[in-house]
Amino acid sequence: MMDIHQILKQLPHRYPILLVDRVLEIEKGKRIKALKNVSINEPQFTGHFPHRPVFPGVFQLEAMAQAAALLAFDTVGTTPDDKTVYYFAGIDGARFKRPVEPGDQLIMDVSLDRMKAGIFKFKAVATVDGEVVCEAELMCTMRTIA
């Protein structure tokens, strides 16, 4: 388990782009289960879409990537600093099964598929009320910046 205070120590993201509210489960080197509470008060809903708010698919992917980052940091036993960044390196097989709306609780299950030469590959599935809403294979990398 990880609460928002622990998440803030691990991820550099802040409102409105911090998309993980809590870690429910984590198995070092294997998997993470995290949640994002989707609120009507988030700024993207004023334009996406005013008449029927929908949580953007790219935000769903980003939320899963942030959960993946937490798993990666836990796996390698590191806490990122100001010189460490964690980037998307690729997204494969992304599928969106149904819209995510305000009031939904997005549950992200991310498993580490492999880690080689600083590249992490994950399988990620997001659900709402037990129904798959998004799935993808994510590739991410950690880099040190000057």
Side-chain angles (χ1 to χ4, degrees):
M1 291 262 315
M2 210 182 278
D3 65 20
I4 191 63
H5 305 289
Q6 294 162 308
I7 292 167
L8 287 168
K9 289 177 185 173
Q10 291 290 313
L11 295 178
H13 308 78
R14 295 297 180 262
Y15 179 84
I17 206 65
L18 179 62
L19 300 174
V20 177
D21 293 325
R22 180 174 298 277
V23 172
L24 304 172
E25 301 170 13
I26 192 164
E27 287 181 64
K28 188 181 197 93
K30 294 185 180 186
R31 59 177 286 279
I32 190 169
K33 184 175 187 177
L35 73 83
K36 159 73 177 129
N37 292 306
V38 181
S39 169
I40 189 62
N41 296 318
E42 296 177 56
Q44 66 271 13
F45 291 126
T46 57
H48 196 267
F49 302 97
H51 62 286
R52 182 67 187 222
V54 175
F55 192 62
V58 295
F59 282 26
Q60 294 172 50
L61 292 169
E62 175 65 23
M64 292 189 299
Q66 289 178 21
L70 291 167
L71 176 57
F73 297 145
D74 185 68
T75 297
V76 298
T78 187
T79 298
D81 56 28
D82 290 343
K83 296 186 185 285
T84 304
V85 290
Y86 191 77
Y87 290 123
F88 255 135
I91 304 169
D92 293 322
R95 297 289 180 265
F96 303 97
K97 307 292 186 174
R98 81 155 180 84
V100 175
E101 300 176 318
D104 285 344
Q105 190 173 66
L106 192 67
I107 303 293
M108 298 154 296
D109 284 296
V110 180
S111 58
L112 179 60
D113 193 28
R114 71 176 177 259
M115 177 177 61
K116 185 177 179 182
I119 303 287
F120 297 80
K121 188 167 186 182
F122 302 93
K123 290 188 178 170
V125 177
T127 60
V128 171
D129 295 328
E131 185 180 348
V132 174
V133 296
C134 178
E135 57 189 359
E137 291 181 356
L138 309 174
M139 288 178 288
C140 304
T141 186
M142 261 186 269
R143 295 287 184 241
T144 302
I145 54 175

